[in-house]
């Protein structure tokens, strides 16, 4: 069972990946969404999206875009840098992404247009050291049917997609309803019955040992579990799950008796400064502490203080003051939430 960091905009950069690696890492790290056209334009910030650390041999590049040609060319560029493979985002349902024809819009376009994109990316990365092609999807729009969903997935498999990550919610459901994990199992069985070798990864609502175990029971044919926001909240979540039945990481997994929340936050800020341009520091810090602050007793207070800080030095000062005032919050047992 592979444990996988989800692609999250402004979050799955090398700074967060380093935070995860300090606790032993995970089996695969997906990058944050990389906009294909922007990457090809080679703007001043694009080099930061191409960072491979901290474990290049476990990295998956995720691409997003509205047109086939830029996505295919960007896949070629990234495949020459290293990593496991390239992932096409067909699941993001953020209104701006969907409205402009990216993300989940690829599931709703003419299927010939989408299959042309998939075939083009597969051809471009074939034979490279970064040759695995994956796609991240949802169930579709709110009016999806089993027939349209499984037909779409069969097209992906027929075009050579090796891994499908399924977040089993529809476009508008987002997080308001529980994910339908049973569709992960149904998809894996469907592809197996059709004699495709395509693997299926489960994504959605796995946040602790209990939900991890429930997900595996619902979809025993899944080859991996992808986790997003909970990794930001608890970068040690993979090490925690690795001791649960089904989750196995290498011997380097580190799971201390307790987590030093203050030091973990300071380490993240150090990595953020090393791995991201100064123009990104504030927004990346705000996004991280939106979730990470949930670990302390007065979460909303700390979150507001940090998010309203105008520099990373100010963030450090707010963290210092908080843990001086509430010293019992600094250390938590690894099972705590």
């Amino acid at each position: 069972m592979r444990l996988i960091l989800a692609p999250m905009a402004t979050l799955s950069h090398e700074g967060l990946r380093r935070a995860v690696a300090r606790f032993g890492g995970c089996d695969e790290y997906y990058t944050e969404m990389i906009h294909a056209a922007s990457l090809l334009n080679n703007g001043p910030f694009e080099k930061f999206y191409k960072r491979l650390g901290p474990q290049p041999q476990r990295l998956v590049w995720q691409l997003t875009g509205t047109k086939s040609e830029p996505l295919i060319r960007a896949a070629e560029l990234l495949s020459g840098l290293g990593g496991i493979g390239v992932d096409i985002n067909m699941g993001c349902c953020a209104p701006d992404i969907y409205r402009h024809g990216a993300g989940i819009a690829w599931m709703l376009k003419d299927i010939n247009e989408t299959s042309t994109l998939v075939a083009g990316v597969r051809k471009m990365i074939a034979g490279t050291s970064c040759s695995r092609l994956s796609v991240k999807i949802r169930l579709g729009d709110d009016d999806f049917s089993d027939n349209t969903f499984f037909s779409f997935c069969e097209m992906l498999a027929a075009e050579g997609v090796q891994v499908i990550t399924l977040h089993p919610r529809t476009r508008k459901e987002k997080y308001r309803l529980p994910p339908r994990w049973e569709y992960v199992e149904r998809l894996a069985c469907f592809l197996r019955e059709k004699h495709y070798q395509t693997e299926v990864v489960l994504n959605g609502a796995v946040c602790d040992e209990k939900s991890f175990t429930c997900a595996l029971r619902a979809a025993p044919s899944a080859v991996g579990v992808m986790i997003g926001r909970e990794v930001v909240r608890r970068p040690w979540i993979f090490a925690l799950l690795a001791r649960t039945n089904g989750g196995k990481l290498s011997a380097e997994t580190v799971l201390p008796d307790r987590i030093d929340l203050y030091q973990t936050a300071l380490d993240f800020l150090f990595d953020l400064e090393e791995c991201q341009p100064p123009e990104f520091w504030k927004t990346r810090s705000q996004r991280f502490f939106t979730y990470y602050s949930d670990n302390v007793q007065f979460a909303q207070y700390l979150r507001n203080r940090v998010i309203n800080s105008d520099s990373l030095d100010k963030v450090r000062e707010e963290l210092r003051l908080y843990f001086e005032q509430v010293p019992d919050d600094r250390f938590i047992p690894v099972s705590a939430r």
Side-chain angles (χ1 to χ4, degrees), residues 274-326:
E274 272 211 344
C275 301
Q276 296 283 277
E279 293 86 348
F280 288 4
W281 289 351
K282 182 176 181 178
T283 55
R284 266 56 172 167
S285 172
Q286 289 173 330
R287 285 279 283 160
F288 177 81
F289 285 103
T290 294
Y291 299 104
Y292 188 77
S293 298
D294 287 342
N295 288 295
V296 303
Q297 183 179 358
F298 302 101
Q300 191 59 44
Y301 171 80
L302 178 62
R303 184 180 296 114
N304 287 340
R305 299 296 297 183
V306 168
I307 287 177
N308 290 315
S309 297
D310 57 8
S311 69
L312 294 193
D313 284 340
K314 181 61 175 174
V315 172
R316 293 184 178 94
E317 178 65 9
E318 292 293 347
L319 290 168
R320 183 187 66 80
L321 289 172
Y322 180 87
F323 288 110
E324 282 184 357
Q325 295 166 356
V326 194

Side-chain angles (χ1 to χ4, degrees), residues 107-120:
M107 295 188 70
L108 310 177
K109 296 179 182 183
D110 183 281
I111 197 165
N112 291 320
E113 182 179 357
T114 306
S115 65
T116 297
L117 163 65
V118 175

Side-chain angles (χ1 to χ4, degrees), residues 40-52:
L40 294 172
N41 287 335
N42 199 29
F45 302 124
E46 298 312 310
K47 63 182 180 182
F48 296 97
Y49 290 93
K50 294 187 285 186
R51 294 181 67 104
L52 287 135

